[in-house]
């Protein structure tokens, strides 16, 4: 499902930023790293005598930045995949849209927008059984969405009816 995660701009930037911050924090443990950090700090106007509590606060700040980046990354990447899924769906590229929504769901499993997008793409791709399963998952995750899901069942029923799949359509109409 996550075969394209490493190629997205969001995850690439996040991974690079985390790596740079981790290297900065880790370099303070070697003598050459401390020397390099001292020179880098001097170049930007921070006193070389940066020691004790100040060094501890810097390490703490780097830790917080890494943690914040790590916590925000799945949210940002999921939003990216939802946006791409919508773009693919509008362009008629339903298989790519389905993949994008699945990647968003893998990153944030309870994000309803991604599940609704996936279900809509499955309907457009005429994968009705999978779409119905997805709508069921939505109803299980958030029972307050039942009315919205029922409207989608009705729409799928109409589509099945037009496709002359009358028994499946009747099953959905009875929900």
């Amino acid at each position: 499902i996550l075969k394209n995660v490493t190629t997205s701009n969001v995850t690439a930037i996040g991974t690079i930023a985390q790596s740079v911050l981790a290297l900065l924090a880790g370099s303070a443990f070697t003598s050459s790293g401390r020397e390099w950090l001292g020179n880098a700090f001097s170049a930007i106007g921070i006193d070389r005598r940066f020691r004790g509590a100040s060094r501890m606060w810097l390490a703490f700040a780097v830790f917080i930045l890494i943690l914040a980046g790590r916590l925000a990354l799945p949210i940002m990447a999921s939003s990216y995949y939802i946006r791409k899924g919508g773009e693919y769906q509008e362009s008629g590229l339903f298989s790519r849209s389905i993949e994008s929504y699945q990647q968003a769901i893998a990153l944030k499993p309870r994000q309803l927008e991604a599940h609704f997008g996936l279900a809509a793409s499955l309907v457009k791709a005429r994968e009705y059984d999978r779409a119905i399963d997805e709508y069921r998952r939505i109803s299980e995750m958030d029972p307050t969405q039942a009315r919205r899901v029922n409207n989608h069942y009705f729409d799928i029923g109409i589509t099945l009816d037009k496709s002359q799949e009358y028994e499946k359509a009747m099953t959905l109409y009875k929900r």
Side-chain angles (χ1 to χ4, degrees), residues 47-151:
D47 190 6
R48 279 181 78 77
R49 293 173 292 174
F50 192 62
R51 299 187 194 289
S54 299
R55 191 176 280 181
M56 182 198 67
W57 283 110
L58 175 64
F60 182 70
V62 169
F63 170 74
I64 294 298
L65 284 172
I66 291 171
L67 183 62
R70 184 67 190 114
L71 293 175
L73 192 59
I75 296 166
M76 293 177 354
S78 179
S79 296
Y80 170 82
Y81 285 118
I82 289 170
R83 185 175 48 80
K84 292 304 283 183
E87 290 172 7
Y88 290 138
Q89 187 176 351
E90 288 176 16
S91 300
L93 302 170
F94 304 123
S95 63
R96 291 187 77 180
S97 177
I98 290 167
E99 285 178 20
S100 288
Y101 285 122
Q102 288 173 330
Q103 289 172 335
I105 290 167
L107 291 165
K108 282 203 68 201
R110 298 195 55 81
Q111 189 161 15
L112 291 175
E113 185 181 358
H115 285 280
F116 273 111
L118 174 59
S121 291
L122 289 167
V123 169
K124 299 230 183 218
R126 298 182 162 271
E127 295 186 37
Y128 302 120
D129 292 335
R130 286 181 62 198
I132 291 166
D133 289 341
E134 194 60 33
Y135 284 125
R136 276 195 197 112
R137 268 191 284 286
I138 294 168
S139 292
E140 290 168 4
M141 277 192 304
D142 187 353
T144 64
Q145 296 294 320
R147 176 169 289 197
R148 189 172 168 195
V149 167
N150 285 338
N151 290 339

